[in-house]
Amino acid sequence: MLYASIIILIILIIIAVLMSSVIIGLIRTRGVPFISTNKKDFKQILAAVDLKTNEKIYDLGCGKASLLILAAQKYGAKGVGYELSLWPYLWAKFNSWKSRADVDVYLKDFFTADLSDADVVFCYLFTHIMGRLEQKFEREMKPGSRVVAYGFKLPHRQPVKEIITNDDNVELGKIYVYRY
């Protein structure tokens, strides 16, 4: 009986820690939840920006780092991810370690990160964040660099390319590519 009670208590503690990390993550990300990019679109996203070997790709809100790992493994790129939510961050660290891909993941607010050495920046973030990011991109992106936005576009900049990936939800399934 005591053994079963201890097991139940441990399970409840684990659930409480995971749930609190989700709530804290929502607060830290200004209401942007952890939502994975559709994996079937990864190849189209990377092809849309013409990713090259040895280029540096940043993922702002990298989640599990799946896109960065693919970029490193299939294109020979160097991946850099930023994540504010603890659970996806730990998942990303584990995935990048397991894959042995050239990917670094940081538990850090991407608004405080320096993007000046990025060749490509990927983001799948809500509209209110994209407006703030647009200003950061204007200040920090080097000439010739690219931004690829999934689902939500930059409010004031015209994309050089738009790709529809989901005929059922044309707006959410769009890839927007911007050149700086």
Side-chain angles (χ1 to χ4, degrees), residues 1-176:
M1 182 69 179
L2 178 62
Y3 179 73
S5 297
I6 291 172
I7 296 295
I8 290 171
L9 180 61
I10 290 171
I11 291 170
L12 290 173
I13 289 171
I14 290 170
I15 291 170
V17 167
L18 291 176
M19 291 305 295
S20 64
S21 78
V22 169
I23 292 167
I24 291 167
L26 282 171
I27 293 167
R28 291 187 73 199
T29 63
R30 298 168 192 90
V32 178
F34 166 55
I35 302 171
S36 293
T37 304
N38 194 333
K39 279 191 173 192
K40 75 173 183 60
D41 294 337
F42 282 178
K43 288 181 184 174
Q44 280 185 290
I45 289 166
L46 296 173
V49 292
D50 193 27
L51 188 64
K52 305 255 190 290
T53 303
N54 295 322
E55 283 194 313
K56 192 174 268 192
I57 181 170
Y58 282 51
D59 188 342
L60 309 182
C62 69
K64 301 178 286 185
S66 302
L67 181 78
L68 294 174
I69 292 167
L70 179 67
Q73 290 177 335
K74 299 288 186 204
Y75 292 84
K78 163 73 177 153
V80 178
Y82 292 97
E83 181 57 58
L84 270 178
S85 296
L86 182 61
W87 178 242
Y89 165 77
L90 293 173
W91 203 340
K93 290 296 271 188
F94 176 75
N95 283 344
S96 58
W97 170 80
K98 183 178 72 170
S99 71
R100 300 193 192 313
D102 190 7
V103 172
D104 293 320
V105 179
Y106 302 96
L107 184 63
K108 181 178 179 178
D109 185 345
F110 52 73
F111 280 109
T112 65
D114 180 8
L115 305 179
S116 62
D117 67 340
D119 297 295
V120 174
V121 173
F122 172 76
C123 47
Y124 179 25
L125 301 162
F126 289 163
T127 305
H128 69 283
I129 302 294
M130 296 301 281
R132 288 186 55 211
L133 267 179
E134 186 172 30
Q135 296 167 14
K136 183 174 178 62
F137 294 153
E138 293 293 335
R139 288 189 312 271
E140 296 181 21
M141 299 297 288
K142 64 186 175 186
S145 60
R146 288 96 66 209
V147 170
V148 58
Y150 184 77
F152 302 93
K153 61 184 173 179
L154 297 173
H156 302 104
R157 192 169 183 102
Q158 280 300 113
V160 295
K161 202 183 294 183
E162 285 185 33
I163 300 166
I164 297 171
T165 64
N166 183 350
D167 292 331
D168 296 335
N169 189 342
V170 175
E171 288 308 309
L172 189 58
K174 272 191 183 174
I175 298 168
Y176 303 94

